[in-house]
PDB file of all heavy atoms in Angstrom:
ATOM      1  N   THR A 537       1.296  25.104   4.244  1.00  0.00           N
ATOM      2  CA  THR A 537       2.617  25.597   3.803  1.00  0.00           C
ATOM      3  C   THR A 537       3.500  24.414   3.206  1.00  0.00           C
ATOM      4  O   THR A 537       4.529  24.700   2.660  1.00  0.00           O
ATOM      5  CB  THR A 537       3.342  26.199   4.980  1.00  0.00           C
ATOM      6  OG1 THR A 537       3.273  25.261   6.154  1.00  0.00           O
ATOM      7  CG2 THR A 537       2.638  27.549   5.370  1.00  0.00           C
ATOM      8  N   ASP A 538       3.044  23.219   3.442  1.00  0.00           N
ATOM      9  CA  ASP A 538       3.801  22.056   2.945  1.00  0.00           C
ATOM     10  C   ASP A 538       3.532  21.794   1.473  1.00  0.00           C
ATOM     11  O   ASP A 538       2.951  20.747   1.156  1.00  0.00           O
ATOM     12  CB  ASP A 538       3.519  20.825   3.784  1.00  0.00           C
ATOM     13  CG  ASP A 538       3.919  21.056   5.210  1.00  0.00           C
ATOM     14  OD1 ASP A 538       5.106  21.243   5.518  1.00  0.00           O
ATOM     15  OD2 ASP A 538       3.045  21.015   6.114  1.00  0.00           O
ATOM     16  N   SER A 539       3.855  22.689   0.644  1.00  0.00           N
ATOM     17  CA  SER A 539       3.631  22.554  -0.805  1.00  0.00           C
ATOM     18  C   SER A 539       4.667  23.377  -1.510  1.00  0.00           C
ATOM     19  O   SER A 539       5.349  24.217  -0.881  1.00  0.00           O
ATOM     20  CB  SER A 539       2.167  22.994  -1.123  1.00  0.00           C
ATOM     21  OG  SER A 539       2.052  24.403  -0.897  1.00  0.00           O
ATOM     22  N   GLY A 540       4.740  23.136  -2.822  1.00  0.00           N
ATOM     23  CA  GLY A 540       5.710  23.925  -3.554  1.00  0.00           C
ATOM     24  C   GLY A 540       6.176  23.207  -4.827  1.00  0.00           C
ATOM     25  O   GLY A 540       5.975  22.000  -4.922  1.00  0.00           O
ATOM     26  N   SER A 541       6.708  23.955  -5.733  1.00  0.00           N
ATOM     27  CA  SER A 541       7.145  23.326  -7.046  1.00  0.00           C
ATOM     28  C   SER A 541       8.640  23.141  -7.091  1.00  0.00           C
ATOM     29  O   SER A 541       9.426  23.942  -6.527  1.00  0.00           O
ATOM     30  CB  SER A 541       6.743  24.267  -8.121  1.00  0.00           C
ATOM     31  OG  SER A 541       7.226  23.837  -9.365  1.00  0.00           O
ATOM     32  N   SER A 542       9.073  22.120  -7.749  1.00  0.00           N
ATOM     33  CA  SER A 542      10.550  21.916  -7.925  1.00  0.00           C
ATOM     34  C   SER A 542      10.959  22.707  -9.167  1.00  0.00           C
ATOM     35  O   SER A 542      12.165  22.751  -9.519  1.00  0.00           O
ATOM     36  CB  SER A 542      10.823  20.372  -8.161  1.00  0.00           C
ATOM     37  OG  SER A 542      10.208  19.977  -9.347  1.00  0.00           O
ATOM     38  N   GLY A 543      10.001  23.222  -9.910  1.00  0.00           N
ATOM     39  CA  GLY A 543      10.330  24.003 -11.142  1.00  0.00           C
ATOM     40  C   GLY A 543      10.350  23.116 -12.345  1.00  0.00           C
ATOM     41  O   GLY A 543      10.525  23.456 -13.516  1.00  0.00           O
ATOM     42  N   ASN A 544       9.994  21.783 -12.087  1.00  0.00           N
ATOM     43  CA  ASN A 544      10.005  20.794 -13.193  1.00  0.00           C
ATOM     44  C   ASN A 544       8.591  20.082 -13.310  1.00  0.00           C
ATOM     45  O   ASN A 544       8.186  19.459 -12.258  1.00  0.00           O
ATOM     46  CB  ASN A 544      11.108  19.776 -12.999  1.00  0.00           C
ATOM     47  CG  ASN A 544      11.207  18.748 -14.146  1.00  0.00           C
ATOM     48  OD1 ASN A 544      10.252  17.986 -14.379  1.00  0.00           O
ATOM     49  ND2 ASN A 544      12.320  18.708 -14.773  1.00  0.00           N
ATOM     50  N   LEU A 545       7.923  20.219 -14.359  1.00  0.00           N
ATOM     51  CA  LEU A 545       6.597  19.685 -14.488  1.00  0.00           C
ATOM     52  C   LEU A 545       6.526  18.226 -14.240  1.00  0.00           C
ATOM     53  O   LEU A 545       5.579  17.791 -13.509  1.00  0.00           O
ATOM     54  CB  LEU A 545       6.022  20.046 -15.862  1.00  0.00           C
ATOM     55  CG  LEU A 545       4.573  19.821 -16.150  1.00  0.00           C
ATOM     56  CD1 LEU A 545       3.979  20.788 -17.067  1.00  0.00           C
ATOM     57  CD2 LEU A 545       4.278  18.396 -16.693  1.00  0.00           C
ATOM     58  N   ILE A 546       7.439  17.490 -14.800  1.00  0.00           N
ATOM     59  CA  ILE A 546       7.328  15.971 -14.623  1.00  0.00           C
ATOM     60  C   ILE A 546       7.607  15.573 -13.153  1.00  0.00           C
ATOM     61  O   ILE A 546       6.795  14.771 -12.651  1.00  0.00           O
ATOM     62  CB  ILE A 546       8.437  15.256 -15.585  1.00  0.00           C
ATOM     63  CG1 ILE A 546       8.131  15.537 -17.022  1.00  0.00           C
ATOM     64  CG2 ILE A 546       8.398  13.788 -15.252  1.00  0.00           C
ATOM     65  CD1 ILE A 546       9.281  15.155 -17.942  1.00  0.00           C
ATOM     66  N   ILE A 547       8.587  16.189 -12.511  1.00  0.00           N
ATOM     67  CA  ILE A 547       8.815  15.865 -11.116  1.00  0.00           C
ATOM     68  C   ILE A 547       7.631  16.228 -10.243  1.00  0.00           C
ATOM     69  O   ILE A 547       7.179  15.488  -9.391  1.00  0.00           O
ATOM     70  CB  ILE A 547      10.067  16.546 -10.593  1.00  0.00           C
ATOM     71  CG1 ILE A 547      11.316  15.907 -11.204  1.00  0.00           C
ATOM     72  CG2 ILE A 547      10.244  16.543  -9.088  1.00  0.00           C
ATOM     73  CD1 ILE A 547      12.663  16.556 -10.861  1.00  0.00           C
ATOM     74  N   ASP A 548       7.041  17.462 -10.552  1.00  0.00           N
ATOM     75  CA  ASP A 548       5.914  17.906  -9.724  1.00  0.00           C
ATOM     76  C   ASP A 548       4.706  16.973  -9.918  1.00  0.00           C
ATOM     77  O   ASP A 548       3.987  16.747  -8.976  1.00  0.00           O
ATOM     78  CB  ASP A 548       5.532  19.380 -10.183  1.00  0.00           C
ATOM     79  CG  ASP A 548       6.497  20.390  -9.656  1.00  0.00           C
ATOM     80  OD1 ASP A 548       7.399  19.990  -8.829  1.00  0.00           O
ATOM     81  OD2 ASP A 548       6.413  21.558 -10.035  1.00  0.00           O
ATOM     82  N   PHE A 549       4.457  16.554 -11.208  1.00  0.00           N
ATOM     83  CA  PHE A 549       3.303  15.649 -11.397  1.00  0.00           C
ATOM     84  C   PHE A 549       3.597  14.288 -10.708  1.00  0.00           C
ATOM     85  O   PHE A 549       2.678  13.668 -10.098  1.00  0.00           O
ATOM     86  CB  PHE A 549       3.052  15.440 -12.893  1.00  0.00           C
ATOM     87  CG  PHE A 549       1.948  14.522 -13.207  1.00  0.00           C
ATOM     88  CD1 PHE A 549       0.673  14.860 -13.060  1.00  0.00           C
ATOM     89  CD2 PHE A 549       2.279  13.204 -13.676  1.00  0.00           C
ATOM     90  CE1 PHE A 549      -0.414  13.989 -13.383  1.00  0.00           C
ATOM     91  CE2 PHE A 549       1.163  12.305 -13.958  1.00  0.00           C
ATOM     92  CZ  PHE A 549      -0.066  12.696 -13.809  1.00  0.00           C
ATOM     93  N   TYR A 550       4.844  13.758 -10.868  1.00  0.00           N
ATOM     94  CA  TYR A 550       5.110  12.425 -10.329  1.00  0.00           C
ATOM     95  C   TYR A 550       5.160  12.364  -8.844  1.00  0.00           C
ATOM     96  O   TYR A 550       4.523  11.616  -8.196  1.00  0.00           O
ATOM     97  CB  TYR A 550       6.443  11.986 -11.010  1.00  0.00           C
ATOM     98  CG  TYR A 550       6.804  10.549 -10.559  1.00  0.00           C
ATOM     99  CD1 TYR A 550       6.362   9.427 -11.218  1.00  0.00           C
ATOM    100  CD2 TYR A 550       7.729  10.330  -9.461  1.00  0.00           C
ATOM    101  CE1 TYR A 550       6.669   8.152 -10.776  1.00  0.00           C
ATOM    102  CE2 TYR A 550       7.992   9.119  -9.035  1.00  0.00           C
ATOM    103  CZ  TYR A 550       7.511   7.965  -9.723  1.00  0.00           C
ATOM    104  OH  TYR A 550       7.804   6.679  -9.310  1.00  0.00           O
TER     105      TYR A 550
END
Side-chain angles (χ1 to χ4, degrees):
T537 50
D538 298 298
S539 63
S541 172
S542 66
N544 183 299
L545 189 146
I546 297 169
I547 289 176
D548 285 351
F549 178 76
Y550 182 84

